């Protein structure tokens, strides 16, 4: 489960990369170059046929805690946002973190690993968002692995699930397609296009 990611790009760089100007009603601001649960992050969404960049809080509220990762696509908790293309978004990322499953023998502590897409200085998770009584919130999709998780660069570290990283040519499809077509994009990103540190 991914609970930390970086966005080491300015808002202007994100706007240019996604061809998405600022949302004038977006009042929450990012104050760091990383995003943690319950904290502000940028999302790119469609409004009236055009992309805009908004700031929202990461995690749909549930029992007082933010739920950051969408795993069960048929759950009623997520279904209304997934069904409505206007509630889908792109979550800009420069790298994301997963913790090792097993502790390091010498220290007994788990190790953080960072994953990026070297060919894309900024990439995007498939996300969904929801208005709330306060600030709007977002979460992003995760998926399982085809075959042995250890054969995938992320699965070798975190075998349960991987964030859904979209190819740039699929951004519009995620934002506009019907549910079945959009969910067909919920697959693991190719290992050979990723790097780990």
């Amino acid at each position: 489960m991914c609970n930390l990611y970086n966005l080491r790009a300015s808002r202007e760089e994100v706007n240019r990369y996604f061809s998405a100007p600022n949302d004038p009603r977006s009042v929450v601001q990012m104050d760091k170059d990383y995003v943690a649960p319950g904290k502000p992050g940028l999302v790119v969404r469609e409004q009236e046929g055009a992309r805009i960049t908004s700031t929202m809080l990461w995690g749909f509220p549930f029992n007082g805690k933010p739920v950051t990762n969408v795993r069960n696509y048929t759950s009623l908790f997520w279904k209304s946002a997934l069904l409505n293309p206007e509630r889908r978004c792109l979550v800009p990322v420069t790298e994301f973190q997963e913790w090792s499953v097993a502790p390091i023998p010498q220290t007994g502590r788990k190790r953080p690993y960072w994953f990026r897409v070297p060919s894309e200085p900024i990439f995007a998770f498939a996300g969904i968002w929801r208005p709330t009584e306060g600030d709007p919130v977002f979460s992003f999709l995760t998926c399982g692995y085809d075959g042995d998780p250890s054969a995938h660069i992320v699965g070798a570290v975190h075998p349960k699930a991987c964030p859904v990283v979209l190819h740039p040519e699929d951004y519009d499809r995620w934002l506009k397609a019907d549910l079945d077509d959009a969910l067909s994009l919920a697959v693991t990103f190719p290992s050979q296009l990723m790097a780990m540190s």
Side-chain angles (χ1 to χ4, degrees), residues 9-195:
S10 70
R11 191 164 183 143
E12 292 72 27
E13 289 172 310
V14 170
N15 293 352
R16 276 195 307 273
Y17 182 82
F18 291 97
S19 300
N22 284 328
D23 178 354
R25 294 174 296 179
S26 190
V27 295
V28 181
Q29 297 299 317
M30 283 185 65
D31 54 355
K32 303 188 182 317
D33 62 2
Y34 66 88
V35 184
K39 301 299 182 188
L42 296 182
V43 304
V44 175
R45 61 189 182 90
E46 288 253 334
Q47 181 174 289
E48 298 173 1
R51 291 182 185 176
I52 58 172
T53 302
S54 303
T55 310
M56 300 182 184
L57 301 179
W58 184 20
F60 281 36
F62 182 73
N63 291 336
K65 294 184 177 179
V67 182
T68 57
N69 296 170
V70 181
R71 294 184 193 174
N72 180 357
Y73 310 148
T74 61
S75 166
L76 293 178
F77 188 73
W78 305 115
K79 193 80 175 207
S80 63
L82 285 167
L83 274 169
N84 184 352
E86 291 179 3
R87 292 288 182 258
R88 294 192 211 129
C89 62
L90 307 172
V91 180
V93 179
T94 52
E95 61 183 350
F96 66 93
Q97 181 196 32
E98 295 288 4
W99 289 93
S100 61
V101 174
I104 300 167
Q106 301 89 321
T107 64
R109 300 177 72 182
K110 293 184 178 184
R111 176 184 169 197
Y113 290 88
W114 289 91
F115 299 91
R116 64 189 185 287
V117 179
S119 64
E120 300 291 334
I122 305 171
F123 57 94
F125 293 147
I128 55 175
W129 71 279
R130 176 185 293 168
T132 68
E133 290 180 5
D135 297 310
V137 296
F138 72 95
S139 294
F140 57 75
L141 276 65
T142 61
C143 63
Y145 302 91
D146 289 333
D148 179 8
S150 66
H152 191 273
I153 190 170
V154 180
V157 172
H158 189 75
K160 288 186 179 178
C162 180
V164 174
V165 175
L166 295 169
H167 294 275
E169 61 268 25
D170 291 327
Y171 292 167
D172 276 341
R173 196 166 143 211
W174 173 251
L175 293 172
K176 297 176 181 178
D178 65 47
L179 181 61
D180 289 340
D181 189 20
L183 287 180
S184 71
L185 300 172
V187 295
T188 51
F189 200 75
S191 281
Q192 64 269 27
L193 300 181
M194 302 180 78

